[in-house]
Amino acid sequence: MNNLAFVTVSALGSVYSKSCPIQLKTAVQSLLIGCSFPLEIILVVDGYIPPALNDSIDCVAAISKTKIIKLPSNQGLGVALSAGLKHVSGDIIVRFD
């Protein structure tokens, strides 16, 4: 029996005020197309984001199993990813931009 049939994957990413909404959607679509395992997405919002990026996050959440973690202020990539790691439940963690 193939044990990979029971593997779950967590994809961890972070966005901040200068992140591109279109690139976020493209990255998530690529994850969903390319992953044949059950997938959860953990997306950390690092401080304030503009409305267009917030709309993209809403779209991503509507098409995938997504956990959105919001930091009250911009802390930087390392802190944001560390915060996201606390919410991972998959067997394998992949990082995405």
Side-chain angles (χ1 to χ4, degrees):
M1 178 182 253
N2 185 348
N3 289 335
L4 290 179
F6 301 104
V7 170
T8 57
V9 176
S10 295
L12 175 60
S14 176
V15 294
Y16 74 118
S17 62
K18 295 183 181 179
S19 298
C20 175
I22 295 170
Q23 289 178 344
L24 173 63
K25 286 183 186 177
T26 302
V28 170
Q29 288 171 344
S30 178
L31 282 169
L32 295 173
I33 291 168
C35 188
S36 58
F37 300 107
L39 176 70
E40 74 170 349
I41 297 172
I42 293 88
L43 184 62
V44 181
V45 177
D46 192 9
Y48 166 81
I49 57 170
L53 185 55
N54 197 53
D55 291 345
S56 289
I57 292 171
D58 290 343
C59 289
V60 165
I63 63 169
S64 64
K65 181 181 175 189
T66 304
K67 295 179 186 174
I68 300 169
I69 292 54
K70 295 185 178 183
L71 302 180
S73 62
N74 184 273
Q75 302 291 309
L77 183 60
V79 172
L81 294 178
S82 291
L85 279 173
K86 296 175 185 174
H87 299 274
V88 167
S89 63
D91 301 306
I92 298 171
I93 302 168
V94 297
R95 168 89 170 85
F96 77 97
D97 290 314

PDB file of all heavy atoms in Angstrom, residues 48-91:
ATOM      1  N   TYR A  48      -1.226  46.002   7.382  1.00  0.00           N
ATOM      2  CA  TYR A  48      -2.241  46.597   6.499  1.00  0.00           C
ATOM      3  C   TYR A  48      -2.035  46.134   5.061  1.00  0.00           C
ATOM      4  O   TYR A  48      -0.900  46.042   4.576  1.00  0.00           O
ATOM      5  CB  TYR A  48      -2.145  48.124   6.537  1.00  0.00           C
ATOM      6  CG  TYR A  48      -2.918  48.766   5.405  1.00  0.00           C
ATOM      7  CD1 TYR A  48      -4.287  48.939   5.496  1.00  0.00           C
ATOM      8  CD2 TYR A  48      -2.271  49.143   4.232  1.00  0.00           C
ATOM      9  CE1 TYR A  48      -5.009  49.491   4.445  1.00  0.00           C
ATOM     10  CE2 TYR A  48      -2.976  49.699   3.180  1.00  0.00           C
ATOM     11  CZ  TYR A  48      -4.346  49.867   3.288  1.00  0.00           C
ATOM     12  OH  TYR A  48      -5.046  50.406   2.248  1.00  0.00           O
ATOM     13  N   ILE A  49      -3.149  45.839   4.379  1.00  0.00           N
ATOM     14  CA  ILE A  49      -3.116  45.563   2.941  1.00  0.00           C
ATOM     15  C   ILE A  49      -4.193  46.397   2.259  1.00  0.00           C
ATOM     16  O   ILE A  49      -5.234  46.680   2.852  1.00  0.00           O
ATOM     17  CB  ILE A  49      -3.302  44.065   2.621  1.00  0.00           C
ATOM     18  CG1 ILE A  49      -4.612  43.542   3.196  1.00  0.00           C
ATOM     19  CG2 ILE A  49      -2.103  43.254   3.089  1.00  0.00           C
ATOM     20  CD1 ILE A  49      -4.983  42.164   2.729  1.00  0.00           C
ATOM     21  N   PRO A  50      -3.965  46.784   1.001  1.00  0.00           N
ATOM     22  CA  PRO A  50      -4.956  47.580   0.288  1.00  0.00           C
ATOM     23  C   PRO A  50      -6.180  46.744  -0.078  1.00  0.00           C
ATOM     24  O   PRO A  50      -6.119  45.512  -0.128  1.00  0.00           O
ATOM     25  CB  PRO A  50      -4.212  48.066  -0.954  1.00  0.00           C
ATOM     26  CG  PRO A  50      -3.040  47.171  -1.098  1.00  0.00           C
ATOM     27  CD  PRO A  50      -2.733  46.614   0.255  1.00  0.00           C
ATOM     28  N   PRO A  51      -7.302  47.410  -0.366  1.00  0.00           N
ATOM     29  CA  PRO A  51      -8.543  46.704  -0.682  1.00  0.00           C
ATOM     30  C   PRO A  51      -8.423  45.702  -1.837  1.00  0.00           C
ATOM     31  O   PRO A  51      -9.011  44.624  -1.781  1.00  0.00           O
ATOM     32  CB  PRO A  51      -9.521  47.829  -1.016  1.00  0.00           C
ATOM     33  CG  PRO A  51      -9.008  49.010  -0.258  1.00  0.00           C
ATOM     34  CD  PRO A  51      -7.510  48.861  -0.272  1.00  0.00           C
ATOM     35  N   ALA A  52      -7.674  46.032  -2.884  1.00  0.00           N
ATOM     36  CA  ALA A  52      -7.547  45.111  -4.028  1.00  0.00           C
ATOM     37  C   ALA A  52      -6.902  43.792  -3.604  1.00  0.00           C
ATOM     38  O   ALA A  52      -7.307  42.715  -4.058  1.00  0.00           O
ATOM     39  CB  ALA A  52      -6.741  45.761  -5.147  1.00  0.00           C
ATOM     40  N   LEU A  53      -5.908  43.859  -2.735  1.00  0.00           N
ATOM     41  CA  LEU A  53      -5.264  42.645  -2.251  1.00  0.00           C
ATOM     42  C   LEU A  53      -6.203  41.875  -1.332  1.00  0.00           C
ATOM     43  O   LEU A  53      -6.273  40.646  -1.386  1.00  0.00           O
ATOM     44  CB  LEU A  53      -3.954  42.982  -1.539  1.00  0.00           C
ATOM     45  CG  LEU A  53      -3.097  41.811  -1.068  1.00  0.00           C
ATOM     46  CD1 LEU A  53      -2.771  40.866  -2.220  1.00  0.00           C
ATOM     47  CD2 LEU A  53      -1.818  42.330  -0.424  1.00  0.00           C
ATOM     48  N   ASN A  54      -6.957  42.577  -0.526  1.00  0.00           N
ATOM     49  CA  ASN A  54      -7.945  41.925   0.333  1.00  0.00           C
ATOM     50  C   ASN A  54      -8.991  41.190  -0.504  1.00  0.00           C
ATOM     51  O   ASN A  54      -9.410  40.079  -0.158  1.00  0.00           O
ATOM     52  CB  ASN A  54      -8.600  42.953   1.255  1.00  0.00           C
ATOM     53  CG  ASN A  54      -9.296  42.297   2.413  1.00  0.00           C
ATOM     54  OD1 ASN A  54      -8.696  41.499   3.122  1.00  0.00           O
ATOM     55  ND2 ASN A  54     -10.565  42.623   2.603  1.00  0.00           N
ATOM     56  N   ASP A  55      -9.409  41.787  -1.621  1.00  0.00           N
ATOM     57  CA  ASP A  55     -10.358  41.128  -2.531  1.00  0.00           C
ATOM     58  C   ASP A  55      -9.764  39.849  -3.097  1.00  0.00           C
ATOM     59  O   ASP A  55     -10.460  38.826  -3.210  1.00  0.00           O
ATOM     60  CB  ASP A  55     -10.755  42.068  -3.674  1.00  0.00           C
ATOM     61  CG  ASP A  55     -11.599  43.240  -3.207  1.00  0.00           C
ATOM     62  OD1 ASP A  55     -12.122  43.213  -2.069  1.00  0.00           O
ATOM     63  OD2 ASP A  55     -11.731  44.210  -3.994  1.00  0.00           O
ATOM     64  N   SER A  56      -8.482  39.873  -3.444  1.00  0.00           N
ATOM     65  CA  SER A  56      -7.826  38.667  -3.959  1.00  0.00           C
ATOM     66  C   SER A  56      -7.772  37.576  -2.903  1.00  0.00           C
ATOM     67  O   SER A  56      -7.958  36.397  -3.199  1.00  0.00           O
ATOM     68  CB  SER A  56      -6.406  38.984  -4.435  1.00  0.00           C
ATOM     69  OG  SER A  56      -6.442  39.729  -5.610  1.00  0.00           O
ATOM     70  N   ILE A  57      -7.531  37.966  -1.662  1.00  0.00           N
ATOM     71  CA  ILE A  57      -7.510  36.992  -0.569  1.00  0.00           C
ATOM     72  C   ILE A  57      -8.889  36.361  -0.398  1.00  0.00           C
ATOM     73  O   ILE A  57      -9.014  35.150  -0.203  1.00  0.00           O
ATOM     74  CB  ILE A  57      -7.018  37.640   0.737  1.00  0.00           C
ATOM     75  CG1 ILE A  57      -5.542  37.994   0.598  1.00  0.00           C
ATOM     76  CG2 ILE A  57      -7.257  36.732   1.935  1.00  0.00           C
ATOM     77  CD1 ILE A  57      -4.995  38.831   1.721  1.00  0.00           C
ATOM     78  N   ASP A  58      -9.932  37.163  -0.509  1.00  0.00           N
ATOM     79  CA  ASP A  58     -11.294  36.631  -0.430  1.00  0.00           C
ATOM     80  C   ASP A  58     -11.544  35.623  -1.539  1.00  0.00           C
ATOM     81  O   ASP A  58     -12.169  34.578  -1.324  1.00  0.00           O
ATOM     82  CB  ASP A  58     -12.322  37.760  -0.501  1.00  0.00           C
ATOM     83  CG  ASP A  58     -12.328  38.629   0.753  1.00  0.00           C
ATOM     84  OD1 ASP A  58     -11.787  38.206   1.793  1.00  0.00           O
ATOM     85  OD2 ASP A  58     -12.888  39.745   0.674  1.00  0.00           O
ATOM     86  N   CYS A  59     -11.061  35.901  -2.754  1.00  0.00           N
ATOM     87  CA  CYS A  59     -11.211  34.966  -3.884  1.00  0.00           C
ATOM     88  C   CYS A  59     -10.467  33.664  -3.621  1.00  0.00           C
ATOM     89  O   CYS A  59     -10.985  32.585  -3.878  1.00  0.00           O
ATOM     90  CB  CYS A  59     -10.698  35.600  -5.171  1.00  0.00           C
ATOM     91  SG  CYS A  59     -11.737  36.909  -5.820  1.00  0.00           S
ATOM     92  N   VAL A  60      -9.250  33.776  -3.100  1.00  0.00           N
ATOM     93  CA  VAL A  60      -8.448  32.601  -2.783  1.00  0.00           C
ATOM     94  C   VAL A  60      -9.162  31.749  -1.737  1.00  0.00           C
ATOM     95  O   VAL A  60      -9.250  30.523  -1.861  1.00  0.00           O
ATOM     96  CB  VAL A  60      -7.046  33.032  -2.280  1.00  0.00           C
ATOM     97  CG1 VAL A  60      -6.327  31.893  -1.597  1.00  0.00           C
ATOM     98  CG2 VAL A  60      -6.227  33.587  -3.424  1.00  0.00           C
ATOM     99  N   ALA A  61      -9.684  32.381  -0.716  1.00  0.00           N
ATOM    100  CA  ALA A  61     -10.378  31.649   0.346  1.00  0.00           C
ATOM    101  C   ALA A  61     -11.627  30.955  -0.177  1.00  0.00           C
ATOM    102  O   ALA A  61     -12.009  29.899   0.330  1.00  0.00           O
ATOM    103  CB  ALA A  61     -10.732  32.601   1.486  1.00  0.00           C
ATOM    104  N   ALA A  62     -12.250  31.529  -1.203  1.00  0.00           N
ATOM    105  CA  ALA A  62     -13.470  30.941  -1.759  1.00  0.00           C
ATOM    106  C   ALA A  62     -13.194  29.687  -2.585  1.00  0.00           C
ATOM    107  O   ALA A  62     -14.070  28.836  -2.712  1.00  0.00           O
ATOM    108  CB  ALA A  62     -14.204  31.975  -2.613  1.00  0.00           C
ATOM    109  N   ILE A  63     -11.971  29.556  -3.129  1.00  0.00           N
ATOM    110  CA  ILE A  63     -11.689  28.416  -4.006  1.00  0.00           C
ATOM    111  C   ILE A  63     -10.796  27.364  -3.370  1.00  0.00           C
ATOM    112  O   ILE A  63     -10.473  26.365  -3.998  1.00  0.00           O
ATOM    113  CB  ILE A  63     -11.066  28.867  -5.345  1.00  0.00           C
ATOM    114  CG1 ILE A  63      -9.710  29.543  -5.114  1.00  0.00           C
ATOM    115  CG2 ILE A  63     -11.999  29.753  -6.128  1.00  0.00           C
ATOM    116  CD1 ILE A  63      -8.913  29.783  -6.383  1.00  0.00           C
ATOM    117  N   SER A  64     -10.372  27.566  -2.130  1.00  0.00           N
ATOM    118  CA  SER A  64      -9.456  26.618  -1.511  1.00  0.00           C
ATOM    119  C   SER A  64      -9.667  26.581   0.000  1.00  0.00           C
ATOM    120  O   SER A  64     -10.290  27.459   0.570  1.00  0.00           O
ATOM    121  CB  SER A  64      -8.001  27.029  -1.807  1.00  0.00           C
ATOM    122  OG  SER A  64      -7.714  28.275  -1.217  1.00  0.00           O
ATOM    123  N   LYS A  65      -9.114  25.526   0.590  1.00  0.00           N
ATOM    124  CA  LYS A  65      -9.113  25.436   2.051  1.00  0.00           C
ATOM    125  C   LYS A  65      -7.993  26.345   2.545  1.00  0.00           C
ATOM    126  O   LYS A  65      -6.821  26.007   2.442  1.00  0.00           O
ATOM    127  CB  LYS A  65      -8.872  23.991   2.487  1.00  0.00           C
ATOM    128  CG  LYS A  65      -8.876  23.796   3.973  1.00  0.00           C
ATOM    129  CD  LYS A  65      -8.603  22.349   4.347  1.00  0.00           C
ATOM    130  CE  LYS A  65      -8.489  22.220   5.854  1.00  0.00           C
ATOM    131  NZ  LYS A  65      -8.024  20.881   6.229  1.00  0.00           N
ATOM    132  N   THR A  66      -8.364  27.526   3.029  1.00  0.00           N
ATOM    133  CA  THR A  66      -7.378  28.538   3.380  1.00  0.00           C
ATOM    134  C   THR A  66      -7.552  29.001   4.821  1.00  0.00           C
ATOM    135  O   THR A  66      -8.669  29.275   5.254  1.00  0.00           O
ATOM    136  CB  THR A  66      -7.503  29.768   2.447  1.00  0.00           C
ATOM    137  OG1 THR A  66      -7.385  29.333   1.100  1.00  0.00           O
ATOM    138  CG2 THR A  66      -6.433  30.792   2.734  1.00  0.00           C
ATOM    139  N   LYS A  67      -6.433  29.070   5.527  1.00  0.00           N
ATOM    140  CA  LYS A  67      -6.408  29.690   6.850  1.00  0.00           C
ATOM    141  C   LYS A  67      -5.732  31.047   6.671  1.00  0.00           C
ATOM    142  O   LYS A  67      -4.611  31.122   6.173  1.00  0.00           O
ATOM    143  CB  LYS A  67      -5.599  28.852   7.836  1.00  0.00           C
ATOM    144  CG  LYS A  67      -6.196  27.499   8.138  1.00  0.00           C
ATOM    145  CD  LYS A  67      -5.287  26.742   9.104  1.00  0.00           C
ATOM    146  CE  LYS A  67      -5.781  25.327   9.320  1.00  0.00           C
ATOM    147  NZ  LYS A  67      -4.837  24.541  10.145  1.00  0.00           N
ATOM    148  N   ILE A  68      -6.407  32.103   7.073  1.00  0.00           N
ATOM    149  CA  ILE A  68      -5.847  33.441   6.959  1.00  0.00           C
ATOM    150  C   ILE A  68      -5.481  33.929   8.356  1.00  0.00           C
ATOM    151  O   ILE A  68      -6.332  33.992   9.241  1.00  0.00           O
ATOM    152  CB  ILE A  68      -6.838  34.393   6.274  1.00  0.00           C
ATOM    153  CG1 ILE A  68      -7.151  33.867   4.875  1.00  0.00           C
ATOM    154  CG2 ILE A  68      -6.282  35.815   6.222  1.00  0.00           C
ATOM    155  CD1 ILE A  68      -8.296  34.560   4.191  1.00  0.00           C
ATOM    156  N   ILE A  69      -4.214  34.250   8.521  1.00  0.00           N
ATOM    157  CA  ILE A  69      -3.712  34.739   9.795  1.00  0.00           C
ATOM    158  C   ILE A  69      -3.355  36.212   9.583  1.00  0.00           C
ATOM    159  O   ILE A  69      -2.594  36.539   8.660  1.00  0.00           O
ATOM    160  CB  ILE A  69      -2.456  33.963  10.247  1.00  0.00           C
ATOM    161  CG1 ILE A  69      -2.732  32.495  10.625  1.00  0.00           C
ATOM    162  CG2 ILE A  69      -1.849  34.607  11.489  1.00  0.00           C
ATOM    163  CD1 ILE A  69      -3.385  31.623   9.745  1.00  0.00           C
ATOM    164  N   LYS A  70      -3.892  37.098  10.406  1.00  0.00           N
ATOM    165  CA  LYS A  70      -3.643  38.529  10.246  1.00  0.00           C
ATOM    166  C   LYS A  70      -2.775  39.049  11.378  1.00  0.00           C
ATOM    167  O   LYS A  70      -3.106  38.872  12.548  1.00  0.00           O
ATOM    168  CB  LYS A  70      -4.965  39.294  10.196  1.00  0.00           C
ATOM    169  CG  LYS A  70      -5.796  38.942   8.975  1.00  0.00           C
ATOM    170  CD  LYS A  70      -7.037  39.782   8.885  1.00  0.00           C
ATOM    171  CE  LYS A  70      -7.810  39.420   7.623  1.00  0.00           C
ATOM    172  NZ  LYS A  70      -8.985  40.264   7.444  1.00  0.00           N
ATOM    173  N   LEU A  71      -1.676  39.674  11.000  1.00  0.00           N
ATOM    174  CA  LEU A  71      -0.820  40.356  11.968  1.00  0.00           C
ATOM    175  C   LEU A  71      -1.240  41.823  12.017  1.00  0.00           C
ATOM    176  O   LEU A  71      -1.515  42.420  10.976  1.00  0.00           O
ATOM    177  CB  LEU A  71       0.649  40.238  11.567  1.00  0.00           C
ATOM    178  CG  LEU A  71       1.195  38.810  11.430  1.00  0.00           C
ATOM    179  CD1 LEU A  71       2.667  38.838  11.033  1.00  0.00           C
ATOM    180  CD2 LEU A  71       1.009  38.031  12.717  1.00  0.00           C
ATOM    181  N   PRO A  72      -1.280  42.430  13.186  1.00  0.00           N
ATOM    182  CA  PRO A  72      -1.792  43.800  13.309  1.00  0.00           C
ATOM    183  C   PRO A  72      -0.920  44.853  12.629  1.00  0.00           C
ATOM    184  O   PRO A  72      -1.416  45.891  12.211  1.00  0.00           O
ATOM    185  CB  PRO A  72      -1.854  44.035  14.813  1.00  0.00           C
ATOM    186  CG  PRO A  72      -0.945  43.027  15.408  1.00  0.00           C
ATOM    187  CD  PRO A  72      -0.932  41.860  14.479  1.00  0.00           C
ATOM    188  N   SER A  73       0.377  44.576  12.508  1.00  0.00           N
ATOM    189  CA  SER A  73       1.275  45.512  11.839  1.00  0.00           C
ATOM    190  C   SER A  73       2.331  44.710  11.087  1.00  0.00           C
ATOM    191  O   SER A  73       2.553  43.531  11.371  1.00  0.00           O
ATOM    192  CB  SER A  73       1.935  46.450  12.848  1.00  0.00           C
ATOM    193  OG  SER A  73       2.730  45.721  13.753  1.00  0.00           O
ATOM    194  N   ASN A  74       2.975  45.357  10.137  1.00  0.00           N
ATOM    195  CA  ASN A  74       3.988  44.689   9.329  1.00  0.00           C
ATOM    196  C   ASN A  74       5.169  44.300  10.210  1.00  0.00           C
ATOM    197  O   ASN A  74       5.786  45.141  10.853  1.00  0.00           O
ATOM    198  CB  ASN A  74       4.435  45.618   8.200  1.00  0.00           C
ATOM    199  CG  ASN A  74       5.416  44.930   7.286  1.00  0.00           C
ATOM    200  OD1 ASN A  74       6.599  44.947   7.546  1.00  0.00           O
ATOM    201  ND2 ASN A  74       4.923  44.331   6.241  1.00  0.00           N
ATOM    202  N   GLN A  75       5.458  42.999  10.233  1.00  0.00           N
ATOM    203  CA  GLN A  75       6.521  42.461  11.085  1.00  0.00           C
ATOM    204  C   GLN A  75       7.706  41.948  10.274  1.00  0.00           C
ATOM    205  O   GLN A  75       8.738  41.630  10.832  1.00  0.00           O
ATOM    206  CB  GLN A  75       5.972  41.304  11.929  1.00  0.00           C
ATOM    207  CG  GLN A  75       4.797  41.673  12.801  1.00  0.00           C
ATOM    208  CD  GLN A  75       5.187  42.590  13.930  1.00  0.00           C
ATOM    209  OE1 GLN A  75       6.120  42.311  14.673  1.00  0.00           O
ATOM    210  NE2 GLN A  75       4.511  43.714  14.051  1.00  0.00           N
ATOM    211  N   GLY A  76       7.524  41.784   8.980  1.00  0.00           N
ATOM    212  CA  GLY A  76       8.577  41.227   8.136  1.00  0.00           C
ATOM    213  C   GLY A  76       8.309  39.758   7.833  1.00  0.00           C
ATOM    214  O   GLY A  76       7.534  39.085   8.518  1.00  0.00           O
ATOM    215  N   LEU A  77       8.969  39.281   6.795  1.00  0.00           N
ATOM    216  CA  LEU A  77       8.710  37.933   6.299  1.00  0.00           C
ATOM    217  C   LEU A  77       8.990  36.843   7.325  1.00  0.00           C
ATOM    218  O   LEU A  77       8.188  35.925   7.499  1.00  0.00           O
ATOM    219  CB  LEU A  77       9.534  37.693   5.029  1.00  0.00           C
ATOM    220  CG  LEU A  77       9.328  36.361   4.329  1.00  0.00           C
ATOM    221  CD1 LEU A  77       7.871  36.184   3.897  1.00  0.00           C
ATOM    222  CD2 LEU A  77      10.259  36.250   3.130  1.00  0.00           C
ATOM    223  N   GLY A  78      10.114  36.929   8.014  1.00  0.00           N
ATOM    224  CA  GLY A  78      10.455  35.883   8.981  1.00  0.00           C
ATOM    225  C   GLY A  78       9.432  35.736  10.084  1.00  0.00           C
ATOM    226  O   GLY A  78       9.003  34.630  10.412  1.00  0.00           O
ATOM    227  N   VAL A  79       9.004  36.843  10.649  1.00  0.00           N
ATOM    228  CA  VAL A  79       8.000  36.813  11.717  1.00  0.00           C
ATOM    229  C   VAL A  79       6.668  36.311  11.170  1.00  0.00           C
ATOM    230  O   VAL A  79       5.980  35.504  11.803  1.00  0.00           O
ATOM    231  CB  VAL A  79       7.839  38.205  12.367  1.00  0.00           C
ATOM    232  CG1 VAL A  79       6.672  38.232  13.334  1.00  0.00           C
ATOM    233  CG2 VAL A  79       9.123  38.609  13.071  1.00  0.00           C
ATOM    234  N   ALA A  80       6.308  36.765   9.970  1.00  0.00           N
ATOM    235  CA  ALA A  80       5.040  36.344   9.368  1.00  0.00           C
ATOM    236  C   ALA A  80       5.019  34.833   9.125  1.00  0.00           C
ATOM    237  O   ALA A  80       4.033  34.154   9.440  1.00  0.00           O
ATOM    238  CB  ALA A  80       4.800  37.099   8.060  1.00  0.00           C
ATOM    239  N   LEU A  81       6.097  34.294   8.584  1.00  0.00           N
ATOM    240  CA  LEU A  81       6.141  32.851   8.333  1.00  0.00           C
ATOM    241  C   LEU A  81       6.156  32.056   9.630  1.00  0.00           C
ATOM    242  O   LEU A  81       5.514  30.999   9.723  1.00  0.00           O
ATOM    243  CB  LEU A  81       7.347  32.504   7.464  1.00  0.00           C
ATOM    244  CG  LEU A  81       7.307  33.068   6.047  1.00  0.00           C
ATOM    245  CD1 LEU A  81       8.590  32.701   5.296  1.00  0.00           C
ATOM    246  CD2 LEU A  81       6.083  32.596   5.277  1.00  0.00           C
ATOM    247  N   SER A  82       6.839  32.560  10.637  1.00  0.00           N
ATOM    248  CA  SER A  82       6.831  31.885  11.951  1.00  0.00           C
ATOM    249  C   SER A  82       5.422  31.856  12.528  1.00  0.00           C
ATOM    250  O   SER A  82       4.994  30.845  13.099  1.00  0.00           O
ATOM    251  CB  SER A  82       7.778  32.588  12.919  1.00  0.00           C
ATOM    252  OG  SER A  82       9.110  32.398  12.531  1.00  0.00           O
ATOM    253  N   ALA A  83       4.689  32.949  12.368  1.00  0.00           N
ATOM    254  CA  ALA A  83       3.295  32.983  12.837  1.00  0.00           C
ATOM    255  C   ALA A  83       2.451  31.975  12.064  1.00  0.00           C
ATOM    256  O   ALA A  83       1.611  31.278  12.641  1.00  0.00           O
ATOM    257  CB  ALA A  83       2.719  34.384  12.674  1.00  0.00           C
ATOM    258  N   GLY A  84       2.677  31.872  10.770  1.00  0.00           N
ATOM    259  CA  GLY A  84       1.926  30.921   9.949  1.00  0.00           C
ATOM    260  C   GLY A  84       2.227  29.476  10.300  1.00  0.00           C
ATOM    261  O   GLY A  84       1.330  28.624  10.254  1.00  0.00           O
ATOM    262  N   LEU A  85       3.473  29.175  10.647  1.00  0.00           N
ATOM    263  CA  LEU A  85       3.849  27.796  10.998  1.00  0.00           C
ATOM    264  C   LEU A  85       3.034  27.252  12.167  1.00  0.00           C
ATOM    265  O   LEU A  85       2.794  26.047  12.253  1.00  0.00           O
ATOM    266  CB  LEU A  85       5.338  27.719  11.334  1.00  0.00           C
ATOM    267  CG  LEU A  85       6.294  27.643  10.164  1.00  0.00           C
ATOM    268  CD1 LEU A  85       7.734  27.739  10.654  1.00  0.00           C
ATOM    269  CD2 LEU A  85       6.075  26.367   9.365  1.00  0.00           C
ATOM    270  N   LYS A  86       2.595  28.128  13.032  1.00  0.00           N
ATOM    271  CA  LYS A  86       1.799  27.699  14.189  1.00  0.00           C
ATOM    272  C   LYS A  86       0.431  27.163  13.782  1.00  0.00           C
ATOM    273  O   LYS A  86      -0.245  26.519  14.578  1.00  0.00           O
ATOM    274  CB  LYS A  86       1.631  28.866  15.166  1.00  0.00           C
ATOM    275  CG  LYS A  86       2.939  29.326  15.768  1.00  0.00           C
ATOM    276  CD  LYS A  86       2.748  30.548  16.619  1.00  0.00           C
ATOM    277  CE  LYS A  86       4.097  31.065  17.115  1.00  0.00           C
ATOM    278  NZ  LYS A  86       3.972  32.330  17.829  1.00  0.00           N
ATOM    279  N   HIS A  87       0.011  27.418  12.550  1.00  0.00           N
ATOM    280  CA  HIS A  87      -1.317  27.021  12.086  1.00  0.00           C
ATOM    281  C   HIS A  87      -1.280  25.891  11.062  1.00  0.00           C
ATOM    282  O   HIS A  87      -2.317  25.515  10.523  1.00  0.00           O
ATOM    283  CB  HIS A  87      -2.032  28.243  11.494  1.00  0.00           C
ATOM    284  CG  HIS A  87      -2.223  29.329  12.493  1.00  0.00           C
ATOM    285  ND1 HIS A  87      -3.291  29.375  13.349  1.00  0.00           N
ATOM    286  CD2 HIS A  87      -1.443  30.400  12.808  1.00  0.00           C
ATOM    287  CE1 HIS A  87      -3.184  30.438  14.132  1.00  0.00           C
ATOM    288  NE2 HIS A  87      -2.074  31.073  13.830  1.00  0.00           N
ATOM    289  N   VAL A  88      -0.119  25.354  10.793  1.00  0.00           N
ATOM    290  CA  VAL A  88       0.046  24.283   9.808  1.00  0.00           C
ATOM    291  C   VAL A  88      -0.433  22.960  10.397  1.00  0.00           C
ATOM    292  O   VAL A  88      -0.133  22.636  11.537  1.00  0.00           O
ATOM    293  CB  VAL A  88       1.535  24.186   9.401  1.00  0.00           C
ATOM    294  CG1 VAL A  88       1.815  22.918   8.639  1.00  0.00           C
ATOM    295  CG2 VAL A  88       1.939  25.402   8.597  1.00  0.00           C
ATOM    296  N   SER A  89      -1.164  22.197   9.595  1.00  0.00           N
ATOM    297  CA  SER A  89      -1.586  20.872  10.051  1.00  0.00           C
ATOM    298  C   SER A  89      -1.185  19.763   9.093  1.00  0.00           C
ATOM    299  O   SER A  89      -1.405  18.593   9.369  1.00  0.00           O
ATOM    300  CB  SER A  89      -3.113  20.850  10.264  1.00  0.00           C
ATOM    301  OG  SER A  89      -3.783  21.070   9.047  1.00  0.00           O
ATOM    302  N   GLY A  90      -0.567  20.098   7.967  1.00  0.00           N
ATOM    303  CA  GLY A  90      -0.179  19.103   6.986  1.00  0.00           C
ATOM    304  C   GLY A  90       1.063  18.317   7.378  1.00  0.00           C
ATOM    305  O   GLY A  90       1.834  18.725   8.250  1.00  0.00           O
ATOM    306  N   ASP A  91       1.257  17.176   6.697  1.00  0.00           N
ATOM    307  CA  ASP A  91       2.433  16.346   6.904  1.00  0.00           C
ATOM    308  C   ASP A  91       3.671  16.959   6.256  1.00  0.00           C
ATOM    309  O   ASP A  91       4.785  16.791   6.734  1.00  0.00           O
ATOM    310  CB  ASP A  91       2.213  14.943   6.307  1.00  0.00           C
ATOM    311  CG  ASP A  91       1.008  14.253   6.922  1.00  0.00           C
ATOM    312  OD1 ASP A  91       0.949  14.159   8.152  1.00  0.00           O
ATOM    313  OD2 ASP A  91       0.127  13.803   6.155  1.00  0.00           O
TER     314      ASP A  91
END
